[in-house]
């Protein structure tokens, strides 16, 4: 019997059609250097997601090369606001699952400022029981240590009673290796069907 479901953030709950760099180009006419951007997201940003660096500080170092003329805070607001649309159908379904006594947590690779934005500004605090972000756990999915740290924060539940929902196969594989149930997310309909048919919820 599933008692806890760990939801990935972007995809299952948060919808967005364009990523940050594409929106900067299309909406602001700002084209960031591809190599510079890749370097940032593959290095400094990963440290931020693990809670080992501060995004505001690291992005502040890039404003000049990225062509942004405003403040770091304004750039972060622009970024986060464009990737904060909650899927209303999933939100209603989560409320239904919670009404049946199932605990729902956010399990996401994210840094602290976006986690705070999604939790408070986008309102995830109103539909979820808690959050388990990488910036607080100190590890990224698909590391087994991510699931181990997440499990420490769940009380009175066995691994067999936990279900992970994610749209990254590597996260699904590692969650299963840790001992959790895990399902690959493609769309709402297939997810709800699996929940009903396989897990009898």
């Amino acid at each position: 019997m599933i008692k806890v479901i760990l939801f990935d953030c972007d995809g299952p709950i948060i919808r967005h059609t364009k990523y940050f760099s594409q929106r900067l180009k299309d909406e602001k006419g700002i084209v960031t250097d591809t190599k510079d951007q890749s370097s940032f997201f593959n290095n400094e940003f990963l440290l931020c997601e693990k809670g080992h660096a501060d995004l505001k500080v690291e992005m502040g170092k890039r404003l000049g090369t990225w062509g942004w003329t405003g403040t770091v805070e304004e750039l972060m607001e622009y970024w986060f606001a464009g990737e904060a649309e909650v899927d209303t159908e999933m939100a209603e379904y989560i409320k239904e699952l919670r009404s049946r006594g199932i605990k729902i947590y956010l399990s996401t690779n994210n840094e602290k400022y976006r986690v705070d934005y999604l939790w408070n500004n986008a309102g995830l605090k109103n539909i979820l029981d808690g959050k388990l972000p990488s910036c607080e756990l100190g590890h990224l999915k698909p590391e087994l240590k991510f699931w181990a740290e997440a499990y420490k924060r769940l009380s009175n539940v066995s691994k067999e009673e936990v279900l992970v929902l994610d749209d990254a196969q590597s996260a699904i594989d590692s969650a299963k290796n840790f001992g959790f149930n895990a399902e690959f997310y493609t769309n709402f309909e297939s997810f709800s069907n699996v929940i009903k048919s396989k897990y009898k919820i």
Side-chain angles (χ1 to χ4, degrees), residues 42 48 52 60 67 101 105 134 161 176 197:
N42 290 327
C48 294
H52 299 157
Y105 291 86
S134 59
E161 294 170 325
K176 287 182 177 179
S197 61

Side-chain angles (χ1 to χ4, degrees), residues 109 140-147 168-175:
N109 286 343
L140 295 172
K141 293 180 287 184
E143 297 175 66
L144 286 177
K145 289 181 178 180
F146 177 94
W147 305 115
Q169 189 60 52
S170 58
I172 295 298
D173 294 340
S174 64

Side-chain angles (χ1 to χ4, degrees), residues 56-150:
K56 192 177 295 186
V57 173
E58 298 305 327
M59 286 188 73
K61 301 173 184 177
R62 303 277 180 160
L63 291 188
T65 58
W66 287 1
W68 182 264
T69 57
T71 66
V72 175
E73 290 80 6
E74 288 170 338
L75 180 56
M76 290 169 63
E77 171 68 25
Y78 174 75
W79 176 4
F80 299 158
E83 299 181 12
E85 180 186 354
V86 177
D87 187 303
T88 54
E89 188 174 32
M90 182 62 85
E92 288 302 314
Y93 191 56
I94 287 174
K95 291 179 182 179
E96 181 182 335
L97 291 172
R98 291 180 68 199
S99 72
R100 301 178 193 175
I102 297 173
K103 298 292 185 182
I104 310 293
Y105 291 86
L106 188 71
S107 63
T108 177
N109 286 343
N110 258 308
E111 58 77 43
K112 64 180 181 180
Y113 294 111
R114 184 164 184 247
V115 169
D116 180 75
Y117 189 94
L118 293 174
W119 194 251
N120 294 296
N121 297 59
L124 294 188
K125 65 181 180 181
N126 299 319
I127 63 171
L128 302 175
D129 290 291
K131 50 187 171 65
L132 300 166
S134 59
C135 59
E136 295 179 11
L137 303 186
H139 301 281
L140 295 172
K141 293 180 287 184
E143 297 175 66
L144 286 177
K145 289 181 178 180
F146 177 94
W147 305 115
E149 289 299 320

